[in-house]
């Protein structure tokens, strides 16, 4: 239970939802944000946290979850449920991209499984258990639509026939219009630089009012100034009529094809909607992981029972707000235990008490909403069934509630529903009414909270609540530290002792007259003022001894690290000693084996020679040489006794005997930094022609190295020479390739060179049709390009563009 309904506003959680919505990449993901709610089931909370932590780990490892291409296709699919409904081509393109994203997500999750069948992301895989690709639907869409979302010419035989006839008629119209325009220009009825226009889908000529009667045809429009009339020549009326009829037939055929495709998709609509919902949840989990990455969120130790042990806790909204200003937030350490469940925080105004309370409420709420809270990993957090908060002013004229009565109403609800699994957060406990009775009521309520076993954080200025917390089991005092010398809050929480409100010090700092403050001290009484001073002294002493304790802990830690390092070094030395002895024993064994073999060989020779004097002396001499060599080795390095581990120096690489010989034709070489071998075909001065597989290239001799590796044969060699970077570069060029090149303003030789490279790329990337924009002008550039096109083997045909789209100023090239 969360009370009141304005809980998120009170703890400052609303900006968190807004941030999550901004981090989602899809509408389906953003729809999940308002559905995120407070969970009390341990398994549900654990699953949500694990899924977010796994997504965060993937992002940290550089394996970001694929979510590109998602579109909000739910409205489209719901309309398509109706029999006879047709999905437009553009919306089919969105469906195709979304299905592609679904397939990519399935492939990504499949890659998380190892050879043992276990996955590194069990929570994410469980979340996406219903996710599966739609290969049949994808192939059907690809059969009808191209990458731009246009219906393909070969989507049906009828559509192919219609578009072919349209192209033919377009050429006829262009030819007739050029003839009419040439005659009109010759007769002076048309300006030489006039170009056809389109009005109401009809090709027309711009004619001046004085000549409109001299060109037979139909007037379709006139300019706003009345100085130009747009006339459709009579020669093209019939042809244009046929063209319009074909366009209508084309639209009808496209509609029929899309209707069939929609009908093919309709049985899969419910399944696709289900997968879209799963992708939305994955997008939402990805947004939670991104938010955790930006706020330092981690997965703490989670317990089924209430538990609250926070280290380096920060409010995420405050963290981002201060980061934008270039400031840092002061983290909090808050530890509550079953014997100290209710923390009573006191301290100066504007010292951070309310922020501390909101931080606890926000982090616990984040955890039970499945979000990773910004704490250290050694933090421990449990599950609460209820979170109650009373902070701020809920007075209402409409509901006849004053500030204090609204507080009492909240206390009534807390007492009614509070239990051992409830977390209560109360700011300025007992305030808003006469201090003595307000403090008494607050003390009585706090006793009931403790008796019910509730957990919570309470802020107050009342001395009676500080005394109660100091004397009662289950309660513990806490204070927000304050620097008395600089008269500023430190925003640090200290648990174990109450804090002072520093009312007199703050009043003195603000400049109140000294006589007024002296009078206030006299009214409050010396006992009260002295007690406040004693609290200050206690807090000061506590900070002093805490600093001392911290310094001792740091020294002990350094000593432990030094001791551990020495022990590690000693163990390393002992291991080296064992290795040296073992190596020495092994070498001694080899020496003895060698000596025994020499002795046995000498004995055998003596026996075979039947004690021949010369042979016997020769055998003895060989044994003496063997003994001298052993003694010499022993004296030189004392292997058995003085050998110790030394740094191993890398032996210089032995080069082949012929490495220094000059390179010659037929030598096998490799290029600096490359592993592919090649063969020298020709040497010309300081350059050489080398064949790497099917590729021949000229390189400088100094970049070549002789190698013993022989080049492989066959087409495979040529393929192996193409590096991964080259393949990636070609893929990038293909993605950025445009089917149109503009050579206007270039000289003929420059334009032909540009068109040459353009056609090479077009043929390589299997482009069926491309366009060259050369303009009309004098026609020289157009003629030069077309003469060049006649020599290109990959060009099947070329023609002028439709007059509506540029006419003779553009050449359309069909590639074979």
């Amino acid at each position: 239970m969360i009370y009141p309904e304005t809980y998120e506003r009170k703890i400052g959680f609303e900006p968190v939802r807004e941030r999550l919505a901004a981090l989602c990449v899809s509408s389906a993901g953003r729809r999940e944000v308002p559905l995120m709610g407070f969970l009390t089931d341990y398994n549900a909370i654990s699953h949500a946290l694990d899924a977010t932590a796994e997504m965060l780990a993937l992002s940290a490892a550089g394996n970001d979850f694929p979510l590109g291409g998602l579109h909000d296709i739910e409205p489209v699919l719901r309309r398509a449920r109706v029999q006879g409904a047709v999905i437009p081509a553009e919306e089919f393109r969105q469906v195709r991209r979304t299905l592609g994203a679904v397939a990519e997500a399935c492939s990504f999750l499949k890659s998380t499984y190892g050879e043992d069948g276990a996955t590194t992301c069990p929570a994410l895989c469980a979340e996406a258990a219903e996710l599966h690709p739609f290969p049949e639907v994808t192939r059907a869409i690809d059969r009808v639509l191209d990458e731009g979302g246009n219906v393909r010419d070969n989507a049906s035989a009828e559509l192919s026939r219609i578009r072919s006839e349209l192209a033919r008629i377009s050429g006829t119209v262009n030819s007739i219009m050029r003839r009419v325009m040439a005659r009109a220009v010759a007769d002076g009825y048309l300006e030489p630089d006039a170009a056809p226009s389109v009005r109401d889908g009809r090709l027309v000529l711009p004619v001046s009012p004085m000549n409109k009667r001299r060109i037979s045809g139909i007037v379709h429009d006139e300019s706003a100034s009345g100085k130009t009339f747009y006339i459709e020549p009579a020669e093209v009326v019939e042809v244009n009529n046929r063209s319009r009829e074909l366009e209508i037939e084309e639209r009808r055929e496209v509609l029929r094809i899309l209707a069939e495709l929609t009908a093919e998709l309709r049985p899969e609509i419910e399944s696709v909607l289900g997968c879209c919902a799963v992708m939305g949840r994955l997008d939402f989990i990805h947004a939670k992981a991104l938010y955790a990455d930006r706020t330092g969120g981690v997965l703490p130790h989670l317990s089924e029972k209430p538990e609250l042990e926070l280290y380096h806790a920060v409010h995420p909204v405050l963290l981002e707000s201060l980061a934008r200003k270039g400031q840092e937030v002061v983290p909090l350490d808050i530890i509550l235990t079953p014997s100290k469940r209710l923390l009573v925080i006191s301290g100066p105004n504007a010292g951070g008490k309310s922020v501390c309370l909101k931080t606890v409420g926000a982090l616990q709420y984040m955890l039970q909403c499945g979000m990773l809270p910004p704490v250290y990993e050694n933090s421990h957090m449990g599950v609460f069934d209820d979170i109650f908060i009373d902070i701020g002013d809920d007075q209402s004229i409409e509901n006849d509630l004053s500030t204090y009565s609204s507080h009492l109403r909240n206390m009534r609800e807390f007492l009614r529903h509070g239990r051992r699994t409830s977390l209560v957060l109360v700011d300025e406990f007992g305030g808003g009414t006469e201090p003595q009775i307000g403090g008494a009521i607050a003390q009585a309520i706090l006793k009931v909270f403790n008796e019910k076993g509730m957990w919570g954080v309470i802020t107050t200025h009342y001395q009676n609540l500080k005394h109660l917390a100091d004397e009662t089991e289950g309660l513990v005092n806490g204070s927000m530290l304050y620097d008395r010398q600089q008269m500023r809050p430190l925003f640090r929480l200290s648990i174990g002792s109450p804090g002072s409100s520093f009312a007199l010090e703050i009043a003195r700092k603000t400049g109140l007259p000294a006589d007024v403050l002296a009078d206030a001290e006299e009214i409050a009484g010396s006992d009260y003022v002295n007690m406040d001073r004693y609290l200050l002294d206690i807090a000061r002493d506590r900070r002093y001894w805490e600093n001392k304790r911290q310094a001792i802990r740091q020294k002990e830690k350094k000593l432990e690290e030094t001791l551990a390092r020495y022990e590690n070094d000693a163990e390393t030395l002992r291991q080296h000693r064992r290795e040296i002895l073992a190596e020495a024993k092994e070498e001694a064994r080899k020496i003895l084996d060698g000596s025994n073999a020499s002795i046995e060989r000498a004995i055998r020779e003596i026996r075979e020679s039947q004690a021949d004097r010369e042979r016997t002396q020769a055998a003895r001499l060989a044994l003496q040489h063997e003994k001298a060599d052993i003694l010499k080795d022993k004296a030189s390095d004392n292997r058995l006794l003085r050998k110790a581990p030394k740094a191993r120096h890398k032996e210089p690489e032995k080069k082949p005997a012929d490495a220094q010989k000059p390179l010659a034709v037929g030598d096998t070489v490799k290029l600096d930094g490359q592993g592919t071998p090649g063969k020298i075909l020709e040497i010309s001065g300081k350059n050489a022609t080398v064949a790497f597989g099917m590729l021949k290239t000229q390189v400088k001799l100094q970049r070549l190295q002789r190698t013993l590796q022989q080049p492989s044969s066959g087409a495979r060699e040529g393929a192996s020479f193409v590096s991964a970077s080259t393949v990636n570069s070609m893929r990038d060029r293909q993605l950025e390739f445009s089917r149109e090149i503009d050579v206007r303003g270039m000289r003929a030789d420059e334009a032909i060179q540009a068109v040459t490279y353009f056609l090479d790329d077009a043929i390589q990337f299997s482009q069926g049709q491309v366009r060259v924009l050369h303009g009309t002008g004098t026609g020289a550039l157009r003629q030069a390009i077309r003469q060049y096109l006649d020599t290109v083997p990959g060009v099947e045909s070329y023609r002028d563009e439709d007059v509506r789209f540029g006419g003779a100023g553009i050449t359309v090239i069909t590639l074979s």
Side-chain angles (χ1 to χ4, degrees):
M1 174 184 179
I2 294 294
Y3 183 87
E5 294 180 355
T6 56
Y7 178 86
E8 291 192 6
R9 178 177 59 81
K10 288 180 177 291
I11 64 171
F13 193 77
E14 291 175 338
V16 176
R17 286 193 186 271
E18 295 173 0
R19 197 80 177 94
L20 286 177
L23 291 173
C24 291
V25 301
S26 67
S27 300
R30 285 186 285 274
R31 284 195 292 268
E32 293 289 330
V33 175
L35 300 179
M36 179 181 67
F38 182 74
L39 303 173
T40 57
D41 181 69
Y42 171 80
N43 293 327
I45 297 171
S46 178
H47 172 75
L49 292 174
D50 288 342
T52 306
E54 290 170 5
M55 189 72 80
L56 179 61
L58 289 173
S59 298
N63 299 322
D64 207 12
F65 195 87
L67 291 169
L70 284 178
H71 290 272
D72 187 14
I73 62 173
E74 183 177 346
V76 176
L77 296 179
R78 295 194 185 281
R79 290 198 308 269
R81 285 173 172 171
V82 181
Q83 290 292 333
V86 178
I87 299 178
E90 179 57 32
E91 293 182 350
F92 254 123
R93 180 169 175 263
Q94 296 177 0
V95 172
R96 172 63 180 85
R97 294 190 63 187
T98 301
L99 294 181
V102 170
E104 191 174 359
C106 292
S107 177
F108 181 87
L109 291 173
K110 187 177 180 180
S111 67
T112 64
Y113 284 86
E115 296 180 356
D116 57 352
T119 175
T120 57
C121 304
L124 283 178
C125 290
E127 192 70 37
E130 299 178 1
L131 199 67
H132 61 89
F134 297 86
E136 295 82 4
V137 177
T138 301
R139 284 194 293 268
I141 296 176
D142 289 342
R143 187 179 65 250
V144 172
L145 301 180
D146 59 17
E147 295 178 358
N150 302 311
V151 178
R152 299 179 184 272
D153 292 351
N154 59 356
S156 72
E158 179 65 15
L159 184 62
S160 178
R161 181 194 65 78
I162 293 172
R163 288 184 174 175
S164 297
E165 191 171 352
L166 268 174
R168 183 184 59 78
I169 290 179
S170 176
T172 303
V173 170
N174 294 336
S175 177
I176 295 174
M177 287 296 287
R178 283 196 297 271
R179 190 165 60 251
V180 171
M181 289 176 63
R183 186 170 63 248
V185 169
D187 294 341
Y189 303 153
L190 203 62
E191 297 294 332
D193 58 348
S197 300
V198 178
R199 288 293 186 275
D200 298 329
R202 315 284 286 196
L203 205 59
V204 295
L205 296 176
V207 182
S208 61
M210 59 187 301
N211 295 321
K212 67 177 182 179
R213 302 292 183 188
R214 297 177 180 177
I215 296 179
S216 60
I218 301 172
V219 178
H220 283 274
D221 197 5
E222 67 175 331
S223 63
S225 63
K227 295 181 179 180
T228 303
F229 284 83
Y230 296 96
I231 301 175
E232 179 183 11
E235 292 89 336
V236 298
V237 171
E238 288 299 326
V239 182
N240 274 340
N241 288 342
R242 178 55 183 159
S243 178
R244 292 297 296 274
E245 291 174 1
L246 289 173
E247 289 173 358
I248 294 172
E249 292 180 13
E250 179 188 23
R251 287 196 296 271
R252 187 184 301 118
E253 180 62 15
V254 166
L255 185 62
R256 186 192 65 78
I257 294 171
L258 293 177
E260 289 183 353
L261 187 59
T262 304
E264 193 171 348
L265 171 65
R266 191 169 290 117
E268 302 288 345
I269 286 180
E270 295 303 325
S271 183
V272 173
L273 286 173
C275 288
C276 288
V278 173
M279 292 297 292
R281 291 197 298 272
L282 292 174
D283 182 19
F284 173 59
I285 294 172
H286 184 261
K288 290 195 295 182
L290 288 179
Y291 188 75
D293 181 57
R294 299 183 183 188
T295 59
V298 300
L299 179 62
H301 298 279
L302 185 64
S303 172
E304 294 187 48
K305 298 179 180 179
E307 190 174 359
L308 198 64
E309 185 178 343
L310 307 179
Y311 297 102
H312 206 273
V314 295
H315 196 295
V317 177
L318 180 62
L319 176 69
E320 290 194 307
S321 176
L322 292 180
R324 287 192 291 269
K325 300 175 184 177
Q327 302 175 0
E328 292 186 357
V329 65
V330 179
L332 300 171
D333 292 341
I334 303 171
I335 303 173
L336 299 183
T337 64
S339 61
K340 297 178 180 180
R341 304 180 310 277
L342 289 165
L343 175 62
V344 179
I345 302 177
S346 52
N349 289 317
K353 299 190 301 296
S354 299
V355 172
C356 179
L357 183 142
K358 288 184 177 182
T359 300
V360 173
L363 298 190
Q364 187 63 41
Y365 191 70
M366 288 179 67
L367 180 87
Q368 296 194 225
C369 285
M371 297 184 65
L372 301 179
V375 295
Y376 276 174
E377 291 182 349
N378 60 337
S379 300
H380 293 256
M381 301 181 72
V383 177
F384 291 91
D385 292 327
D386 314 295
I387 303 183
F388 306 133
I389 191 168
D390 179 60
I391 187 173
D393 189 357
D394 286 337
Q395 64 175 310
S396 171
I397 297 177
E398 180 180 354
N399 297 326
D400 194 22
L401 285 176
S402 66
T403 299
Y404 187 63
S405 60
S406 67
H407 289 317
L408 291 179
R409 183 192 62 179
N410 290 337
M411 294 304 110
R412 181 192 66 196
E413 296 298 323
F414 297 172
L415 293 173
R416 178 182 299 173
H417 300 287
R419 46 184 167 172
R420 291 186 177 275
T421 56
S422 298
L423 178 66
V424 60
L425 308 169
V426 183
D427 191 35
E428 301 294 347
F429 198 24
T433 189
E434 192 271 322
Q436 188 170 355
I437 190 63
I441 294 176
Q443 183 173 340
I445 293 174
L446 186 56
K447 286 182 179 179
V448 178
F449 286 169
N450 189 36
E451 291 170 358
K452 285 178 171 285
M454 298 169 65
W455 297 58
V457 178
I458 292 167
T459 68
T460 187
H461 291 283
Y462 289 157
Q463 293 291 347
N464 63 318
L465 298 183
K466 299 178 188 178
H467 289 304
L468 179 66
D470 191 48
E471 299 169 352
T472 307
E473 178 74 17
L475 276 66
V476 62
N477 272 309
S479 61
M480 302 305 298
L481 301 182
Y482 192 81
D483 190 335
R484 291 180 65 187
Q485 281 70 35
Q486 299 185 15
M487 295 302 294
R488 64 179 182 85
L490 299 177
F491 303 109
R492 288 169 49 201
L493 174 65
S494 175
I495 297 178
S497 61
S500 171
S501 298
F502 294 96
L504 291 174
E505 285 76 4
I506 294 174
R508 190 173 289 111
K509 181 184 178 182
T510 57
L512 284 181
D515 55 342
V516 173
L517 296 178
D519 192 21
E521 288 185 14
E522 184 177 351
I523 294 172
S526 60
D527 291 341
Y528 186 88
V529 174
N530 288 336
M531 184 183 66
D532 212 28
R533 288 174 180 168
Y534 294 152
L535 288 174
L536 296 178
D537 293 338
I538 292 172
R540 181 196 61 208
D541 293 343
R542 181 183 178 84
R543 288 198 301 275
Y544 172 79
W545 290 113
E546 281 182 353
N547 292 335
K548 282 287 187 183
R549 205 160 40 241
Q550 181 67 20
I552 293 172
R553 280 198 294 265
Q554 290 176 352
K555 291 180 179 179
E556 288 179 347
K557 184 177 181 181
K558 185 177 291 186
L559 286 174
E560 290 175 357
E561 292 175 351
T562 303
L563 181 61
R565 187 171 65 253
Y566 286 161
E567 289 180 351
N568 186 48
D569 292 344
E571 178 60 29
T572 302
L573 289 174
R574 285 192 292 269
Q575 180 64 27
H576 284 175
R577 182 174 179 274
R578 287 191 292 268
E579 292 175 357
I580 290 170
L581 289 175
E583 189 174 349
K585 290 178 180 179
E586 178 64 20
E587 189 168 351
R589 186 188 64 77
K590 292 180 179 178
I591 292 174
L592 290 175
D593 291 343
S595 300
N596 292 334
S598 300
I599 293 171
E600 291 175 359
R601 187 169 59 251
I603 293 172
R604 186 173 63 253
E605 290 178 355
I606 292 172
R607 287 177 178 174
E608 290 176 355
S609 63
Q610 296 180 355
D612 181 79
R613 181 182 180 86
E614 294 180 359
R615 295 286 296 275
T616 302
Q617 289 179 349
R620 287 178 178 174
L621 184 61
L623 286 175
Q624 289 176 357
H625 286 317
E626 185 77 18
K627 180 179 179 181
D629 291 340
I630 294 174
L631 292 176
K632 182 179 179 181
D633 291 341
K634 180 178 178 181
S636 63
D637 57 10
N638 199 4
R639 301 180 187 178
L640 299 180
L641 301 178
R642 288 171 28 194
K643 187 170 182 181
K646 299 178 181 179
R648 297 184 178 179
H649 299 285
K650 187 176 180 180
E651 293 290 336
E653 183 180 356
K654 295 183 179 180
K655 296 184 178 180
D658 59 344
Q660 302 300 328
K661 294 181 180 179
L663 297 173
V665 174
D667 286 350
T668 302
V669 294
K670 62 181 180 180
L671 200 60
D672 283 342
Q674 301 292 335
T676 304
K679 184 165 290 186
I680 298 179
L681 302 179
E682 181 183 353
I683 295 179
S684 176
K686 296 182 179 180
N687 297 327
T689 302
V690 185
F692 293 99
M694 303 299 294
L695 178 64
K696 295 181 182 179
T697 182
Q698 280 196 349
V699 294
K700 292 187 177 297
L701 286 171
Q702 62 185 13
R703 294 189 60 197
L704 297 175
Q705 294 179 354
R706 183 179 282 106
T707 179
L708 299 178
Q709 182 181 357
Q710 294 299 320
S712 59
S713 59
R716 186 185 180 89
E717 176 186 358
S720 65
F721 186 71
V722 180
S723 65
S725 60
T726 304
V727 175
N728 292 337
S729 176
M730 292 175 63
R731 186 179 298 112
D732 293 339
R733 285 173 51 206
Q734 184 174 4
L735 292 174
E736 297 172 359
F737 179 75
S738 172
R739 297 188 180 186
E740 186 173 276
I741 184 174
D742 189 350
V743 297
R744 291 176 294 184
M746 296 185 184
R747 297 195 307 270
D749 55 344
E750 295 175 341
I752 289 175
Q753 184 177 10
V755 170
T756 300
Y757 295 148
F758 174 68
L759 289 179
D760 287 345
D761 287 347
I763 293 172
Q764 182 179 4
F765 301 147
S766 302
Q767 302 296 323
Q769 196 174 74
V770 294
R771 304 194 330 155
V772 179
L773 281 69
H774 44 66
T776 51
T778 61
L781 184 59
R782 172 175 175 269
Q783 185 64 25
I785 291 174
R786 294 198 171 190
Q787 287 177 355
Y788 166 71
L789 293 178
D790 291 333
T791 66
V792 179
V795 175
E796 181 177 315
S797 63
Y798 57 83
R799 58 179 173 80
D800 286 346
E801 179 57 282
D802 191 300
V803 178
R804 293 172 294 179
F805 306 119
I810 300 175
T811 296
V812 179
I813 305 171
T814 302
L815 302 175
S816 57

